[in-house]
Amino acid sequence: MKIVKTNEFDDIVKEGVVLVDFYADWCGPCKMIAPILAELSTELDGSADIVKVNVDEEGTLAQRFDVMSIPTLILFKDGKPVGRKTGFLPKPELEKFIQSA
């Protein structure tokens, strides 16, 4: 999974389905969900992308999307946010969330 910087964010989410994980290195639930997202990233194999945004390093992106709690997962389709979840989610719920786009 790619860690995305502010200057490349819009280009990455502009096409297709992209799940963005807003996280921080010190966040316990973020660490719990990370291996599930990595597994899904491999399983999705091109049907959707999963990327990460470190809120401590990319605060302007976190503000832009009103990220108040982490992990926050925002699902984008063709550059537009189409869904949002906050907190830890088990793998089946994550799969269903991504497939909703």
Side-chain angles (χ1 to χ4, degrees):
M1 278 186 304
K2 178 177 176 58
I3 297 176
V4 178
K5 303 290 184 192
T6 302
N7 62 344
E8 61 189 342
F9 183 85
D10 290 326
D11 286 336
I12 287 173
V13 301
K14 74 179 176 184
E15 291 180 20
V17 176
V18 181
L19 179 68
V20 181
D21 171 25
F22 287 87
Y23 79 102
D25 291 331
W26 48 264
C27 165
C30 300
K31 290 177 185 178
M32 291 169 48
I33 204 169
I36 298 170
L37 292 174
E39 197 175 302
L40 281 173
S41 181
T42 302
E43 290 174 9
L44 293 169
D45 194 32
S47 63
D49 291 324
I50 300 176
V51 298
K52 298 171 79 66
V53 172
N54 186 320
V55 297
D56 289 332
E57 296 174 6
E58 306 301 327
T60 55
L61 272 178
Q63 284 182 313
R64 178 175 160 193
F65 292 102
D66 297 321
V67 174
M68 301 294 179
S69 300
I70 51 174
T72 291
L73 304 169
I74 302 179
L75 189 61
F76 288 82
K77 184 168 184 178
D78 298 327
K80 295 181 176 54
V82 294
R84 180 185 191 110
K85 300 279 185 180
T86 302
F88 176 82
L89 295 171
K91 186 176 177 183
E93 283 188 48
L94 283 169
E95 287 175 309
K96 197 184 298 185
F97 179 55
I98 294 167
Q99 290 168 354
S100 72

